[in-house]
Structures are given as C-alpha cells and as structure tokens.
Amino acid sequence: FSSHPNIFTTSWNTGIIKKVEFEIDSLGLDARVFLQDKKKAQTSCNEFRRCFMRMGAVLVELPIFKDYTKKVMSDILEACLSSNWGFSFVFELGLSLQKGGDADTEDEIRIAQDMVNEFGHFKEVLTMVWNEETTQKPPEETIRGIRGECIETHSMNTTSLDLNMEKLLEQYLEFDALYTSFLGEFLKPEADLKILVQKTIRCCERLKPVSCNDGFGAETKRSLPTIMAGIFALFTVLKSGKSFNRIEEDTSGCTIDAKQLLMKPHNIQILTLLCMFGCGVSKADSLESQLMQIRTGEGKSMILGAAAVIFGLLGFRVRCICYSEYLSNRDYALFCDVFDHFGLLKLIKYSKITRLSEETTSAKGNIRDLTLSLLKQTLPSRPRTSYSTEPVEASTSDYIESDAIVSKADLANYTRQTQPFQD
C-alpha cells in the first residue's frame, strides 16, 4: 500500500525502516563484544556464529535491507581481520557456515552458504571446499577416459579420435613440473611477478607470427607446457598467494593446511587445453575448429580464461561468448587481473552471443540505411569477400561456453555452420 499514503503513511514506513536498522546495528554491536580479544573470540565462537547468522537472515531474506546489513557485517569481518588471530578465526567461521552445523535447519544451511558466497572475506573457504570436494583422478586415468570423434565438414562422416596418450601424458608431466617450480619461486611474498610474466611473453614472442593455417606445428606444441605453466602459476599467485602466505606466517597455532587454499588447475583442465591446441591429437600444423564437452564442476571458466591468454599472447584478438551476461561477466572477472598483467585487456573480450551478433552486423554499415536501400533496390553490389590465408596482425578466435545439452542433430547443424579459424 506504499502508493496509497492515506493507508500507508510515509512516517509509518520510515518508522519501520529505522526500527529494523536499529535491530541490525544492535546485532552488530553484540557481535563485536565477542571479538574483544583472541581468548574471548575462541570461547564465544558459537555465540558469535548465531549472532552473525541472525544478521545473515536479514541479508538474504529482506532485500530492501541487504546493503545496510552487508555494510554492518563487512565492518565486523574487517575489524576481525585487523587482529593477528583474525584471519584463522574468519576462515573457521566461513568453513562452519559452508558445511553447516548439526543443529542447523535447511533454511539456516541455505542462508549460511549464501553468506559465504556473498562476502569476499570467505573466498579462501570456497577454494578449500572446491579442492576437497572435486575429486581428481591420476592424469593417466583421465587421459584414458578422453573420447572424441572427427567429423568431416561436407559428408558429416565420423571417425574415432586418434589420441597419442603417451605424448599427451609427457606434455602434461612437463607442465606439472614447470608449474610446481614456478609456484615455489613466485609464491614468496618478495617475488617479482613481472619476471614470470616476461618469461612467458618471451616464450610466445619466439613463435610469432602465428598463423591458424600452419602456426601450430611441433615447435608451438613443444612450447605450450611452458606457456601454460607461466599462465597458471601467475593465476594461482594472484588468486590465492596472499592467503597462502598469511597462513604460512600465522603464529597463532592455526591448523589450516596452506596448500589447500591454493587455487590450482586440475589435470582435466590442462589436458583439455593441450588437446584443444592439437597436442597428442593432431599431427597437422593447422588449428581446427572444435566442440568440446566438459562436465559440470571440471572448470570451464579456467579453461576458457587460459585459452584466451594463450591466443592473446600469440597475437590474436579473442572473443569469448556465452548465452548469459552474468556468467560472461563472472568468467571475465576470474581472469581479468591475469589479462591485465600480460597486457591483454584490449585483445580479449567477453560478451553474450547476442552482443557479438549485433556488433558483427553493425560493422557492415548502418542497418537502417542498408534496409531502406534494399527495399528501394538501390543497394550497391559488393564483390564476394575473399579470405586471406596469410597471418594478419590481429586475427580473431571465437569461443563459445555453454552449459546446454547438445543432441546429435544439433551437433551436426553446429558443425555445418562452424567456420575454420582463418575465416
């Protein structure tokens, strides 16, 4: 009835809002009492959790008060982190919220997990839970599970993918050794990440210019483990290096394994990238169009970001497209700082597929004027576009990320419409 002041007066509405905000502030003050010192925090952790959960219920269930409540809760977490014992306390709190308590109801578990996702203070918890819950097979077993088909463009005949398992495993192990070595060197707080960036860039510069027709031969494939090791080492340090070092330097008796906080790629992600670039799969020097299926939880976002960096470092413009703007923005945010460190922000773009379509269409001219010219039969004739096979200064590589289920009929239709990269 807010639009009817004779029924719901402004003063009434203001009074309700002030009363709720007063209750939120009171809960915030109660929570701070439990954080006076380390001993008080440890002995009152359950009471603090209950108080924090009550604020979380307002945060999740009452959108009108979300911003106000989040500010109060963030200030409490920041105050806690300012203490030398605060990081481990916040981490344990986040872990408790994510896993839920024995006495928590279904609604309380949902609210608690929403809180963990809402606050960046708990990002290490999400990384640790992901590392624990995502089972990782040995690389040999993962490689044996890879299946694929080659589809001829015109006849649509299929043949089984000829996978060189030994070569693929050899390159994975080379990546793993280099990645581990880079982490040991650059995870240190005093390490200069510019050195890692320049190492990776120099490796790519030696391969340029790269053409999609003949630029992905033996030399490029031999360099991929080194390039990927540099990219993922930088990603891991940027995403979780500070948390790792904070736990390593913690002197308050923290029992958390710092290695569990590292956001590291799983072997399925590395093997997917190696296959995508023809390692152990293709003897050809050209880069072919591919459609790859990766199961839920196996890290499409990391694969997408790393592939974009590889192409960007080799001199290509990259367009990553998705059906969802939210997912597109989320995936871009995951790798944005990596793009920035490599100087690739202008070469890599994420967007919805509709945005790509609109930009591609508008690049041909003013659509309104062209449509009028077509109806008036005054549209100027244009020669048929011919594509050059020579490498260009900035080629384009398009990636589609999708969680949709694709039928065989859809796959056939998709394959007919897919153009080679040089087109």
Side-chain angles (χ1 to χ4, degrees):
F1 297 103
S2 58
S3 59
H4 301 277
N6 58 323
I7 300 175
F8 189 84
T9 63
T10 304
S11 59
W12 187 14
N13 183 47
T14 304
I16 292 174
I17 291 175
K18 287 184 177 180
K19 186 173 182 180
V20 175
E21 289 179 347
F22 176 79
E23 291 298 327
I24 295 169
D25 289 334
S26 296
L27 287 171
L29 292 173
D30 291 343
R32 286 177 180 271
V33 171
F34 300 123
L35 302 176
Q36 292 176 354
D37 52 52
K38 179 181 177 182
K39 184 178 179 180
K40 179 71 172 177
Q42 289 178 336
T43 57
S44 307
C45 58
N46 290 331
E47 289 84 352
F48 177 84
R49 184 182 186 275
R50 282 194 291 271
C51 186
F52 209 68
M53 280 288 295
R54 290 178 66 187
M55 285 187 284
V58 178
L59 177 85
V60 175
E61 303 293 356
L62 298 176
I64 190 174
F65 297 103
K66 180 177 179 178
D67 291 341
Y68 192 91
T69 311
K70 188 173 181 178
K71 175 67 168 58
V72 173
M73 297 173 75
S74 293
D75 288 346
I76 293 170
L77 293 173
E78 289 294 335
C80 187
L81 290 174
S82 64
S83 306
N84 58 1
W85 49 268
F87 182 80
S88 58
F89 180 84
V90 170
F91 184 88
E92 294 291 350
L93 171 66
L95 202 58
S96 168
L97 293 172
Q98 180 66 23
K99 294 186 175 181
D102 295 336
D104 289 346
T105 64
E106 288 186 8
D107 281 342
E108 287 173 336
I109 292 172
R110 172 181 58 82
I111 289 171
Q113 292 179 348
D114 284 347
M115 289 162 59
V116 174
N117 284 286
E118 185 69 36
F119 292 96
H121 307 79
F122 300 127
K123 65 178 182 177
E124 292 84 4
V125 172
L126 295 175
T127 301
M128 182 175 179
V129 170
W130 185 73
N131 285 333
E132 288 179 345
E133 294 182 352
T134 308
T135 56
Q136 186 170 189
K137 300 176 182 177
E140 297 85 353
E141 188 175 343
T142 303
I143 291 173
R144 285 195 296 269
I146 297 176
R147 299 287 183 271
E149 292 181 339
C150 298
I151 305 176
E152 296 181 8
T153 305
H154 301 291
S155 66
M156 297 305 297
N157 293 331
T158 62
T159 56
S160 296
L161 182 68
D162 184 17
L163 184 66
N164 187 334
M165 295 187 181
E166 291 184 2
K167 184 64 177 176
L168 196 55
L169 179 60
E170 176 187 326
Q171 291 201 282
Y172 170 78
L173 294 176
E174 182 182 352
F175 158 84
D176 192 50
L178 286 167
Y179 172 74
T180 303
S181 174
F182 286 155
L183 279 189
E185 181 178 355
F186 293 101
L187 262 178
K188 299 172 183 177
E190 68 276 8
D192 185 358
L193 291 180
K194 291 180 181 178
I195 297 174
L196 175 61
V197 168
Q198 289 304 315
K199 277 185 179 182
T200 310
I201 290 176
R202 282 196 298 269
C203 187
C204 294
E205 290 295 326
R206 289 195 293 267
L207 302 172
K208 289 183 178 180
V210 177
S211 165
C212 290
N213 290 333
D214 55 13
F216 288 84
E219 185 180 1
T220 301
K221 292 173 183 176
R222 279 196 300 269
S223 302
L224 279 172
T226 304
I227 297 170
M228 288 165 55
I231 293 170
F232 276 111
L234 178 64
F235 174 84
T236 300
V237 174
L238 290 176
K239 291 298 175 184
S240 45
K242 288 184 179 179
S243 302
F244 174 86
N245 288 316
R246 204 181 307 185
I247 291 296
E248 286 286 282
E249 297 167 0
D250 190 284
T251 58
S252 63
C254 178
T255 59
I256 303 167
D257 181 4
K259 293 180 180 179
Q260 282 291 88
L261 304 185
L262 293 176
M263 189 176 287
K264 302 168 68 175
H266 289 181
N267 60 46
I268 184 64
Q269 295 166 321
I270 303 305
L271 292 167
T272 297
L273 285 164
L274 290 172
C275 288
M276 184 183 293
F277 288 96
C279 300
V281 178
S282 173
K283 296 179 181 178
D285 293 346
S286 60
L287 189 64
E288 303 297 333
S289 299
Q290 297 182 54
L291 182 65
M292 309 189 86
Q293 180 184 9
I294 301 153
R295 293 181 301 182
T296 301
E298 289 183 338
K300 291 187 288 294
S301 301
M302 288 177 68
I303 295 169
L304 190 69
V309 175
I310 293 171
F311 275 115
L313 290 176
L314 292 176
F316 293 87
R317 292 195 312 272
V318 185
R319 187 65 173 259
C320 302
I321 54 180
C322 181
Y323 68 91
S324 165
E325 185 172 1
Y326 167 77
L327 293 176
S328 187
N329 291 337
R330 182 201 66 182
D331 290 351
Y332 180 80
L334 181 66
F335 260 80
C336 183
D337 47 358
V338 179
F339 301 154
D340 189 21
H341 274 71
F342 281 116
L344 299 174
L345 289 175
K346 293 183 178 179
L347 286 180
I348 298 173
K349 188 172 184 179
Y350 282 57
S351 73
K352 286 180 65 177
I353 191 169
T354 50
R355 175 65 63 83
L356 172 66
S357 177
E358 291 166 0
E359 292 180 4
T360 303
T361 304
S362 62
K364 299 178 185 297
N366 186 296
I367 302 305
R368 180 181 176 85
D369 293 343
L370 290 172
T371 303
L372 289 173
S373 298
L374 177 64
L375 294 173
K376 294 178 180 179
Q377 297 185 352
T378 59
L379 191 68
S381 59
R382 292 185 179 182
R384 188 179 184 275
T385 304
S386 60
Y387 297 105
S388 171
T389 57
E390 295 299 315
V392 292
E393 182 178 350
S395 301
T396 304
S397 301
D398 287 339
Y399 278 87
I400 300 177
E401 181 187 6
S402 174
D403 292 312
I405 298 174
V406 182
S407 67
K408 288 187 176 179
D410 292 333
L411 175 59
N413 185 49
Y414 171 83
T415 308
R416 289 192 189 97
Q417 296 180 45
T418 301
Q419 298 296 319
F421 277 103
Q422 61 266 27
D423 290 348

